């Protein structure tokens, strides 16, 4: 039988035809799919009811707890209760002998009154000190301008006089022989210094700096005489003025200047300008201390260059500047709020201690009395014994009423109000309660938690309490009707009902895309067969839905579960009906 040999060409042609058909079909299918858009399912906006709540976990405790603390040392007269005793409101629990507290109270009151008097005096003088400091600062500025003008004038005079002197000296050298007799130098008088230039202004400025340092050191010594800032400032003003006047009069002897200062201070004490009651030492001792401090300054040394300068007016202005700067430093300290703030804190602390001790005395005099019906759960004092600051005292608890303490995050705090109904759930049952107290400040951790931020956007409250991170505000929930199945010390779940929103426009949580810029949905356009990313404003939230305040209306259709990979804000879609 003959073998039939097929042509390779005939085999290849059908294969190519099949491939072409497959490619064309694929292209047609791809184009068709692209034209139809992304497949999405839609949700139609309608109204719904939202029951908003905050869910947390807290620890169960007795509903009412009163701790009678011993805040001072006293003698216990009698103790009328022991652990386990049931008492009625108004029952006396213990009595005390409080005679020893009188001396403590008197001492605190005396300390408080003295501190208050000193503070009030400082406050009244602070305003005046600020005005004086501003006035002196202005004088300093004017004096500095005067010195600058005088220095320029002095420099010009020195330059002109030097040229004339050089010319006369040259002529004299040509006509006379040098003398072999040495003449002893003498300090020129004030009148001579006005015509004969000698020391450069920079030397005078250097000595003014020395004088200013000497005056500053003198001010430090004055602080050993008085603690009263007004008295200190008055002394400084009197002393610096007396010193300046003496130097301007041509007096440079330290002892003579010290005598003048001592006399001026004595006169101020005699006339009442300086109140001797504000001095730490006796007035005569204070005068002697000031005399010694002033006489220790070598005025002749620090003013020698000034007296040799060619301008008496410049010298006087520089002396005045040193005096003003010394006075300004004192008034600046007196007008500073730092010392007043420290005094105020000390006064407040003393007043708080006094009020606390007086309140404790009143309570102990009357005896510790039960504030409500309850059970004694702790007793740490006994008759005839001295109390200590470490004593616990007596603890009274109402075990017939229970409470749960939870921690509110900053995102839940604004939702919860006192009086709101609460559902408390334990391992053995559920109980009705209400919010009875909210602490004024947060405690623990940092002020915010990213977990609470994310949870709030997702409608989940109190995530930070699960990890122990983030700050929280203590919220107390009371349970008026309890049974033996709810036990102090165990945990309980708390659901605080924060609001009811009936018949509101609502959207499922899974239909919303949460971004930094807001909450978005993808709104469907029936005519264009497209969806567009749309910003909405949300309100109340439950476990499954959000209230929509704006951006959507009843009947609108949105993508039920948008993907996170959408690249465009508007695109065509193919609706898949479910």
């Amino acid at each position: 039988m003959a073998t039939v040999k097929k042509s390779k060409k005939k085999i290849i042609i059908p294969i190519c035809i099949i491939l072409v058909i497959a490619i064309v079909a694929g292209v047609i299918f791809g184009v068709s799919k692209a034209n139809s858009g992304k497949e999405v399912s839609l949700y139609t906006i309608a109204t719904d009811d939202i029951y908003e709540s905050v869910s947390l976990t807290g620890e169960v405790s007795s509903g009412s707890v009163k701790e009678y603390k011993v805040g001072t040392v006293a003698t216990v007269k009698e103790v009328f209760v022991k652990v386990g005793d049931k008492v009625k409101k108004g029952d006396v629990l213990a009595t005390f002998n409080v005679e020893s507290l009188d001396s403590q109270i008197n001492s605190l009151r005396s300390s408080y009154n003295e501190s208050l008097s000193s503070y009030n005096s400082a406050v009244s003088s602070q305003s005046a000190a600020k005005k004086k400091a501003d006035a002196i600062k202005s004088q300093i500025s004017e004096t500095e301008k005067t010195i600058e003008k005088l220095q320029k004038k002095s420099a010009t005079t020195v330059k002109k006089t030097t040229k004339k002197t050089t010319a006369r000296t040259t002529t004299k050298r040509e006509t006379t022989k040098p003398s072999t007799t040495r003449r002893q130098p003498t300090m020129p008088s004030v009148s001579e210094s006005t015509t004969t230039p000698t020391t450069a202004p920079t030397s005078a400025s250097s000595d003014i700096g020395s004088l200013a340092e000497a005056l500053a050191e003198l001010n430090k010594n004055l602080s050993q005489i008085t603690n009263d800032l007004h008295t200190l400032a008055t002394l400084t003003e009197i002393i610096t003025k007396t010193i300046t006047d003496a130097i301007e009069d041509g007096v440079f002897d330290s002892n003579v200047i010290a005598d003048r200062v001592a006399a001026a201070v004595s006169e101020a004490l005699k006339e009442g300008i300086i109140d001797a009651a504000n001095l730490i030492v006796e007035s005569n001792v204070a005068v002697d201390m000031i005399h010694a401090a002033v006489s220790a300054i070598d005025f002749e040394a620090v003013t020698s260059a000034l007296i040799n300068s060619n301008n008496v007016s410049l010298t006087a202005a520089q002396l005045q500047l040193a005096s003003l700067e010394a006075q300004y430093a004192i008034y600046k300290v007196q007008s500073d709020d730092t010392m007043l703030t420290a005094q105020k804190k000390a006064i407040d602390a003393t007043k708080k201690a006094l009020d606390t001790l007086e309140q404790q005395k009143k309570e102990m005099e009357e005896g510790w009395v039960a504030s409500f019906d309850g059970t004694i759960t702790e007793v740490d004092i006994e008759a005839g014994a001295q109390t200590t600051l470490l004593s616990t005292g007596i603890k009274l608890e109402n075990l017939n009423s229970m409470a749960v303490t939870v921690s509110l995050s900053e995102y839940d705090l604004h939702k919860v109000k006192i009086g709101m109904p609460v559902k408390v759930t334990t391992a053995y049952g559920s109980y009705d309660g209400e919010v009875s107290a909210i602490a004024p400040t947060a405690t623990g951790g940092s002020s915010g938690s990213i977990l609470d931020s994310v949870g709030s956007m997702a409608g989940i409250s109190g995530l930070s309490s699960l990890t122990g991170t983030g700050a929280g505000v203590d919220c107390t929930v009371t349970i008026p009707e309890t049974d033996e199945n709810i036990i102090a010390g165990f945990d309980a779940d708390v659901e605080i009902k924060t609001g009811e929103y009936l018949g509101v426009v609502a959207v499922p949580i899974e239909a919303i895309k949460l971004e930094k810029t807001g909450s978005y949905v993808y709104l469907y356009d029936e005519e264009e067969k497209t969806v567009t990313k749309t910003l909405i404003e949300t309100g109340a939230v439950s476990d499954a839905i959000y209230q929509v305040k704006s951006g959507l209306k009843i009947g609108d259709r949105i993508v039920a579960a948008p993907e996170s990979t959408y690249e465009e804000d508007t695109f065509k879609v193919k609706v898949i009906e479910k």
Side-chain angles (χ1 to χ4, degrees):
M1 187 174 191
T3 302
V4 179
K5 188 175 181 181
K6 293 183 178 180
S7 170
K8 291 182 179 180
K9 187 175 181 181
K10 291 182 178 180
I11 297 173
I12 291 172
I13 291 173
I15 293 173
C16 291
I17 292 172
I18 292 171
L19 289 173
V20 169
I21 292 173
I23 291 170
V24 171
V27 170
I28 292 172
F29 177 77
V31 170
S32 174
K33 186 174 182 181
N35 289 335
S36 64
K38 295 181 181 293
E39 294 183 350
V40 297
S41 60
L42 301 178
Y43 173 85
T44 302
I45 300 299
T47 61
D48 208 334
D49 298 335
I50 296 177
Y51 299 92
E52 196 172 42
S53 63
V54 174
S55 298
L56 303 160
T57 299
E59 183 178 333
V60 179
S61 63
S62 56
S64 300
V65 180
K66 171 70 174 179
E67 293 184 347
Y68 298 84
K69 290 285 189 180
V70 181
T72 186
V73 177
T75 302
V76 182
K77 279 186 179 180
E78 292 184 81
V79 179
F80 301 101
V81 294
K82 61 182 183 297
V83 174
D85 285 351
K86 294 185 180 298
V87 298
K88 294 290 184 180
K89 181 179 179 179
D91 288 350
V92 178
L93 309 180
T95 57
F96 304 86
N97 185 333
V98 294
E99 292 178 358
S100 61
L101 298 183
D102 290 336
S103 61
Q104 299 178 46
I105 290 174
N106 290 336
S107 177
L108 268 176
R109 185 178 291 113
S110 176
S111 177
Y112 170 72
N113 289 335
E114 289 178 4
S115 298
L116 183 61
S117 176
S118 177
Y119 174 75
N120 289 336
S121 176
V123 169
S124 63
S125 63
Q126 184 190 46
S127 177
K130 285 182 177 179
K131 290 180 180 178
K132 287 185 178 180
D134 291 341
I136 290 176
K137 187 175 181 180
S138 177
Q139 292 180 51
I140 288 174
S141 178
E142 292 300 320
T143 304
E144 286 175 339
K145 291 178 182 179
T146 299
I147 290 174
E148 185 178 357
K149 291 178 180 178
L150 290 171
Q151 285 177 331
K152 288 179 180 179
K153 182 178 180 181
S154 176
T156 303
T157 303
V158 169
K159 187 175 181 181
K160 291 179 179 179
T161 309
T162 302
K163 287 181 179 179
K164 293 179 181 179
T165 304
T166 303
R168 287 198 300 268
T169 303
T170 303
T171 304
K172 191 172 183 180
R173 282 200 191 117
E174 293 173 354
T175 57
T176 61
K177 294 181 181 181
S179 173
T180 57
T181 305
R182 298 187 66 182
R183 182 179 178 184
Q184 295 296 325
T186 60
M187 181 180 292
S189 65
V190 174
S191 59
E192 289 174 338
S193 67
T194 59
T195 56
T196 307
T198 54
T199 311
T202 54
S203 176
S205 298
S206 174
D207 282 273
I208 280 298
S210 299
L211 181 58
E213 290 176 5
L215 292 173
E217 185 64 29
L218 179 59
N219 286 332
K220 292 181 181 179
N221 292 333
L222 293 179
S223 63
Q224 301 175 13
I225 296 173
T226 180
N227 288 326
D228 182 69
L229 290 177
H230 178 71
T231 302
L232 183 61
T234 303
L235 280 170
T236 302
E237 188 173 0
I238 292 171
I239 293 170
T240 52
K241 185 178 185 307
T242 305
I243 292 173
T244 303
D245 290 346
I247 293 176
E248 288 181 349
D249 291 343
V251 177
F252 309 108
D253 186 286
S254 298
N255 288 322
V256 176
I257 294 176
D259 290 341
R260 287 195 180 189
V261 169
V265 173
S266 297
E267 186 65 21
L269 284 165
K270 182 179 178 181
E271 294 180 359
I273 298 173
I274 298 174
D275 188 352
N278 293 329
L279 300 180
I280 298 174
V281 297
E282 295 293 333
S283 58
N284 58 328
V285 175
V287 172
D288 290 342
M289 291 175 66
I290 292 171
H291 186 282
V294 174
S295 63
I297 302 174
D298 190 349
F299 289 101
E300 187 168 354
V302 299
T303 58
S304 59
L306 299 175
I307 299 307
N308 287 330
S309 73
N310 67 321
N311 193 319
V312 172
S313 298
L314 176 60
T315 300
Q318 289 172 321
L319 288 171
Q320 184 182 8
L321 178 62
S323 175
L324 288 172
E325 288 177 341
Q327 293 178 60
Y328 178 74
I330 291 298
Y331 284 119
K332 191 66 176 174
V333 170
Q334 188 180 6
S335 62
D336 187 21
D337 290 330
T338 304
M339 186 171 293
L340 280 179
T341 301
Q343 285 182 279
K344 185 64 168 63
K345 287 182 178 179
I347 290 171
D348 291 343
T350 305
K351 185 64 167 64
K352 184 177 181 180
L354 177 60
D355 291 344
T356 301
L357 192 57
E358 288 179 334
Q359 180 62 29
Q360 288 173 348
K361 179 189 175 183
K362 181 180 178 182
E363 291 177 357
M364 287 182 169
E365 279 180 331
E366 297 172 352
W368 285 348
V369 178
S371 302
F372 50 81
D373 295 352
T375 303
I376 301 299
T377 58
E378 194 167 345
V379 177
D380 191 29
I381 57 174
E382 59 182 22
Q386 288 283 107
T387 63
T388 69
L389 297 178
L390 299 178
S391 300
T392 303
I394 295 176
K395 181 184 287 188
L396 171 64
E397 297 186 61
N398 182 1
L399 301 179
N400 295 324
S401 172
M402 291 293 184
V404 182
T405 301
V406 294
S407 181
L408 299 174
S409 73
E410 61 179 309
Y411 299 99
D412 293 331
L413 179 61
H414 72 283
K415 303 176 185 177
V416 178
K417 308 295 180 185
I418 292 176
M420 283 183 169
V422 180
K423 182 181 180 182
V424 180
T425 304
T426 69
Y428 299 100
S430 297
Y431 307 87
D432 292 328
E434 72 172 25
V435 176
S436 59
I438 299 175
T441 57
T443 57
S446 59
S447 60
S449 168
I450 191 170
L451 290 175
D452 285 327
S453 178
V454 173
S456 179
M457 289 190 294
I460 304 173
S461 302
L463 285 182
S464 65
S465 64
L466 301 179
T467 63
T469 62
V473 173
D474 284 347
C475 172
T476 302
V477 174
T478 56
I479 310 169
E481 296 183 10
T482 63
D483 55 33
E484 66 278 3
N485 291 323
I486 183 166
I487 301 172
F490 285 173
D491 287 343
D493 294 328
V494 172
E495 183 180 3
I496 304 172
K497 298 174 183 178
T498 57
E500 293 184 358
Y501 304 84
L502 307 179
V504 297
V505 178
V507 61
I509 288 177
E510 60 269 18
I512 299 176
K513 286 191 70 174
L514 298 175
E515 299 182 2
K516 290 182 178 179
T517 54
S519 301
Y520 295 89
V521 296
Y522 285 85
L523 182 62
Y524 180 63
D525 186 323
E526 184 73 36
E527 293 183 1
E528 299 293 333
K529 306 299 181 186
T530 60
V531 293
T532 300
K533 184 178 180 182
T534 304
L535 177 67
I536 63 172
E537 180 187 359
T538 60
V541 60
S542 68
D543 293 339
I545 57 178
Y546 270 97
Q547 176 191 9
V548 179
K549 290 186 173 182
S550 65
L552 292 174
K553 63 182 184 298
I554 297 173
D556 283 343
R557 303 179 74 191
I558 62 173
V559 177
E563 299 175 5
S564 60
T565 55
Y566 293 159
E567 296 180 353
E568 298 176 295
D569 289 346
T570 300
F571 52 88
K572 284 188 172 295
V573 295
K574 179 180 180 180
V575 177
I576 305 298
E577 300 292 346
K578 291 188 178 180

